[in-house]
Amino acid sequence: MLNAPKLTLAILINAALITPTFASEQSDAKGFVEDAKGSVLFRTGYILRDKKHGIEDQSSFAQTAIVDLDSGFTQGVVGFGVGVVGDGSFKIGDNQHSGNNMIPRDDQGNPYHHWARGGANVKARFSNTTVRYGTQVLDLPVLASNTTRLVPEYFTGTLLTSREIKNLELVAGKFTKDQMSDHINTDSNHLDDAIVWGAKYKFDDQLSASYYGLDSKNALERHYINANYKYPLANQSSLTFDFSGYHTKFDKNANTYSATGPVNADYAETGKAGVEKTNNIWALSSTYNQGPHSVMLAYQQNTGDVGYDYGQNADGFQSVYLPNSYLSDFIGNHEKSAQVQYNLDFGGYGVPGLNWTTAFVYGWDIKVRNVTDNAQEREFFNQVKYTMQSGFAKDASLRVRHSYYRASDAYNPVYIGDTNEWRIFLDIPVKFF
């Protein structure tokens, strides 16, 4: 692996200590208790995957309580604080055919009846720079925790976030453990060393850009870029252009489900090519918004030796900040994909809190090892979500999502396979303080 990330990390830490150009967050600290926040999210989650071609269906149904406690910072030049994240869950029904990263299983393959996970972290803040060490939920394009299942994916390590220059955010960190959503062990994905760094800058109200990098020891090197431009139009309309892309170099010991070219003889069993592989994936989208309506068109393309594999190398099961990502992420080797999406906010028609999203994505030119260079896949996606706007259940939400997914015969055995999927999630947040 390169030494550049370590050098970049040192530069970012030094940059965080420069004289601030605007008000200091730490100077406004009210105290350890006074600024504390605490909440619990009660979530009921159900996922059904109706598999085709004689493959056994998967169904997961469970209840959880996700706790997030975070103190304020002590007053002074340097402020200190602590935090706790965790969850306690139990299954609903036998769940013998569960999967979908929802419910952990014991050594005999039986689903747990109930389980609990979590950890603590400590933090310090100087001026507008915060460093946190311990168990965390990450939201970085190159190392993102899965939050779309019952409970979140947890990483353990250190993350520094600096906002010393107005409109510029710098991050740098190192993580050594990755606990997936359906795992009890705190390092079930066997993360070695993952160094992350990055920056995002808001040029003005219309234009922003970002870059992030990841160096994961004995696994991969990854780089991400994004640029977003919003052009306002008349009559409360706007046109938004977004470009995003990843470049990934996989180590020979990394898991790569879609490898082509030279591979080890045991690749089919291990998923490890035995030689370094690379992937480039980029996407361009354009969204037209007019009041409660928005329409998005997107194009996405892969090149290199493998598809954009993520998650299996302890690099975050949500690290796919790309537009063509639903049940399928359309990340096959050399795959091209196009999408049309429509979103309706019913608040414009007198029903605030109700939202509907529908999309169709088609992918083609997928390379399947030793089979074809022209496999295809397609997905028709619908989601309805309602969030309570007031009353005793304010902010509670119900989300119902359905995907109709089909792939060509060559691609069926190596990726998701023909599936009709339902996801139903009821979230009830409660604030302690």
Side-chain angles (χ1 to χ4, degrees):
M1 295 293 182
L2 300 174
N3 291 322
K6 297 180 181 179
L7 176 62
T8 306
L9 176 60
I11 293 173
L12 291 180
I13 293 174
N14 288 327
L17 301 178
I18 66 174
T19 303
T21 60
F22 61 108
S24 165
E25 295 172 0
Q26 180 54 27
S27 65
D28 294 332
K30 294 182 176 62
F32 184 90
V33 175
E34 290 80 358
D35 276 339
K37 297 179 180 178
S39 64
V40 58
L41 174 64
F42 295 101
R43 168 174 289 169
T44 306
Y46 174 74
I47 296 181
L48 168 64
R49 287 185 176 173
D50 175 14
K51 312 293 284 188
K52 305 303 178 182
H53 311 300
I55 299 175
E56 190 173 77
D57 295 345
Q58 294 177 332
S59 177
S60 305
F61 193 15
Q63 172 71 51
T64 190
I66 304 171
V67 177
D68 186 0
L69 305 175
D70 201 28
S71 77
F73 288 92
T74 59
Q75 294 180 322
V77 176
V78 179
F80 298 94
V82 297
V84 174
V85 291
D87 50 78
S89 313
F90 60 88
K91 68 175 185 175
I92 302 175
D94 59 33
N95 281 274
Q96 290 301 319
H97 302 292
S98 60
N100 318 314
N101 304 123
M102 282 274 285
I103 298 175
R105 292 179 175 272
D106 60 24
D107 294 338
Q108 286 72 46
N110 299 312
Y112 276 75
H113 293 280
H114 48 80
W115 62 98
R117 316 169 321 138
N121 55 72
V122 294
K123 59 182 181 178
R125 183 171 67 186
F126 168 77
S127 184
N128 296 310
T129 297
T130 300
V131 60
R132 188 184 295 264
Y133 170 76
T135 304
Q136 305 177 49
V137 177
L138 299 182
D139 184 17
L140 302 172
V142 292
L143 198 66
S145 299
N146 186 351
T147 58
T148 63
R149 297 299 191 268
L150 185 71
V151 293
E153 177 182 9
Y154 297 126
F155 285 91
T156 300
T158 303
L159 182 66
L160 179 146
T161 305
S162 178
R163 289 180 286 270
E164 299 294 345
I165 300 175
K166 188 176 182 180
N167 296 330
L168 175 64
E169 179 179 282
L170 303 174
V171 298
K174 179 179 179 180
F175 294 88
T176 56
K177 292 183 179 181
D178 174 23
Q179 183 179 28
M180 183 46 188
S181 303
D182 60 341
H183 291 165
I184 301 298
N185 189 299
T186 57
D187 191 27
S188 51
N189 284 327
H190 309 294
L191 179 62
D192 196 336
D193 264 354
I195 297 175
V196 296
W197 65 98
K200 62 180 180 181
Y201 185 70
K202 182 179 179 181
F203 294 89
D204 52 39
D205 290 339
Q206 296 173 246
L207 178 63
S208 63
S210 63
Y211 160 77
Y212 293 88
L214 167 68
D215 185 346
S216 185
K217 186 178 180 181
N218 297 322
L220 57 86
E221 296 171 13
R222 176 165 290 156
H223 304 271
Y224 168 86
I225 58 172
N226 174 262
N228 184 278
Y229 178 73
K230 183 177 182 179
Y231 182 71
L233 301 172
N235 301 320
Q236 298 182 326
S237 300
S238 64
L239 188 60
T240 302
F241 298 96
D242 188 272
F243 175 82
S244 54
Y246 289 91
H247 168 72
T248 307
K249 180 180 179 181
F250 293 96
D251 187 85
K252 64 180 180 180
N253 294 317
N255 287 296
T256 53
Y257 80 88
S258 57
T260 57
V263 294
N264 281 346
D266 61 352
Y267 167 72
E269 289 74 36
T270 66
K272 299 178 180 180
V275 295
E276 292 182 346
K277 301 286 184 178
T278 61
N279 168 268
N280 298 300
I281 184 170
W282 60 270
L284 180 64
S285 66
S286 177
T287 304
Y288 173 73
N289 177 264
Q290 202 288 316
H293 308 277
S294 64
V295 178
M296 181 179 73
L297 300 176
Y299 176 79
Q300 188 169 296
Q301 182 170 324
N302 287 262
T303 58
D305 304 310
V306 296
Y308 177 72
D309 301 328
Y310 69 99
Q312 299 301 325
N313 294 293
D315 49 333
F317 276 75
Q318 204 164 299
S319 305
V320 55
Y321 285 38
L322 296 166
N324 294 1
S325 178
Y326 296 100
L327 172 57
S328 174
D329 297 305
F330 296 85
I331 52 175
N333 191 16
H334 275 253
E335 180 173 10
K336 306 175 182 71
S337 61
Q339 174 190 179
V340 57
Q341 181 203 88
Y342 171 72
N343 180 270
L344 176 60
D345 180 358
F346 284 87
Y349 293 93
V351 190
L354 182 62
N355 187 276
W356 171 49
T357 300
T358 183
F360 178 76
V361 191
Y362 178 72
W364 68 96
D365 283 354
I366 307 170
K367 285 189 175 183
V368 179
R369 179 171 170 76
N370 299 326
V371 181
T372 183
D373 290 344
N374 191 30
Q376 300 94 37
E377 61 173 332
R378 64 189 185 278
E379 180 176 351
F380 181 42
F381 171 88
N382 278 279
Q383 177 176 284
V384 176
K385 182 178 180 180
Y386 179 70
T387 303
M388 292 290 294
Q389 303 295 292
S390 60
F392 75 96
K394 186 178 185 298
D395 295 328
S397 66
L398 176 65
R399 174 165 53 95
V400 180
R401 163 177 165 169
H402 181 262
S403 288
Y404 174 91
Y405 174 84
R406 296 294 183 269
S408 57
D409 291 343
Y411 202 44
N412 247 289
V414 297
Y415 192 42
I416 298 170
D418 291 352
T419 305
N420 298 334
E421 183 195 68
W422 285 96
R423 298 188 191 186
I424 303 174
F425 282 81
L426 174 63
D427 287 351
I428 303 175
V430 176
K431 291 184 179 180
F432 294 139
F433 45 84

